[in-house]
Amino acid sequence: MARPVILTDVTELVDGTGDPAFAVDTARLIVAWNSAAEDLLGYRAEEVLGRSCAQVICGRNGQGYIVCTSLCPLQRALRSGERVREMRLQVRRRDGVPLWVAMTSLVLPTEVPVVVHILRDITAERNQEAFLRQVMEGAAALVASPPSSPPRPDPPPPLLSPRETQILRLLASGYGTRAIAETLAISPATVRNHIQQIMMTLRAHSRLEAVVKALQRGLI
């Protein structure tokens, strides 16, 4: 018969995980917290051990509802033996900065069951999805709102350099400054300068407005 896993084993397992990870018991109290979790969320292990994970993680789902409560679906799955699925939650760092994480959970066969939560930072991915959603909604609004008066002849399209057009296409695809810089092998400062020039040329007050105006005028 296999030896049951004990708390020391759980701590070693969590500490040896490269990704941010922590473990909770059936009372939802944190029993292990690794250095990667410290780096991601800003809490030191001594600050969270023995505390309720709901107090520390305070996770919300995509609709803004608090998930980390006494009705935690992972705890219900643990008690019922259901499969624990990945969850996407918005959490807050110790300094208040919001983050989106994908949380994968593993139930360990300890004498008293323990759940290990492994986190992956998906903030950039969620921000890109939100930006793309805004772009699509803005484009749909343009299509759904016919002009109330006969359309005027379109003015000549503003002149954008090939590089500015390239950056504008990447913006429309949801790329941020750093991602554009890495894609085009240029510095983030150069990207910001190009974006500022694009906004001036299109007379846009934001990146989103610049993308919508470019779509409206057929520039991208």
Side-chain angles (χ1 to χ4, degrees):
M1 182 176 179
R3 177 181 67 85
V5 179
I6 59 177
L7 185 56
T8 303
D9 298 328
V10 173
T11 302
E12 292 178 355
L13 175 64
V14 171
D15 287 344
T17 302
D19 294 318
F22 65 99
V24 298
D25 60 17
T26 53
R28 294 179 292 111
L29 300 181
I30 297 172
V31 296
W33 184 272
N34 71 2
S35 59
E38 292 184 10
D39 294 338
L40 179 65
L41 297 176
Y43 291 99
R44 298 188 305 276
E46 55 266 29
E47 294 180 283
V48 299
L49 291 177
R51 291 178 58 187
S52 167
C53 61
Q55 294 176 342
V56 177
I57 302 300
C58 303
R60 296 175 179 267
N61 62 17
Q63 289 72 47
Y65 295 113
I66 297 176
V67 174
C68 293
T69 67
S70 59
L71 301 177
C72 171
L74 294 173
Q75 290 292 325
R76 294 202 308 270
L78 177 60
R79 289 191 296 268
S80 65
E82 298 174 6
R83 180 182 177 185
V84 180
R85 298 181 179 180
E86 179 183 271
M87 297 179 63
R88 294 191 165 202
L89 300 174
Q90 186 182 51
V91 302
R92 286 192 178 274
R93 286 177 43 89
R94 189 177 188 276
D95 56 14
V97 175
L99 297 174
W100 276 97
V101 298
M103 186 168 72
T104 303
S105 303
L106 303 172
V107 179
L108 299 184
T110 52
E111 294 176 308
V112 176
V114 169
V115 181
V116 174
H117 299 306
I118 303 170
L119 308 178
R120 179 169 58 88
D121 186 356
I122 58 169
T123 305
E125 177 183 329
R126 291 287 301 201
N127 289 343
Q128 181 174 339
E129 291 173 357
F131 184 81
L132 286 173
R133 191 161 51 249
Q134 288 179 309
V135 170
M136 297 303 294
E137 289 172 354
L142 290 173
V143 173
S145 302
S148 55
S149 57
R152 299 177 181 178
D154 290 334
L159 296 178
L160 294 175
S161 70
R163 176 66 89 189
E164 289 169 351
T165 301
Q166 192 176 25
I167 289 175
L168 196 54
R169 288 197 181 100
L170 291 173
L171 281 176
S173 298
Y175 282 59
T177 300
R178 185 171 299 278
I180 293 174
E182 292 175 354
T183 300
L184 301 181
I186 57 179
S187 72
T190 300
V191 173
R192 283 190 287 269
N193 290 338
H194 279 305
I195 292 174
Q196 189 63 34
Q197 184 59 46
I198 291 169
M199 291 168 58
M200 290 176 59
T201 301
L202 297 178
R203 296 183 180 180
H205 297 92
S206 68
R207 297 182 178 197
L208 177 60
E209 185 180 359
V211 169
V212 171
K213 284 189 173 184
L215 289 170
Q216 184 180 23
R217 300 178 190 184
L219 299 179
I220 56 176

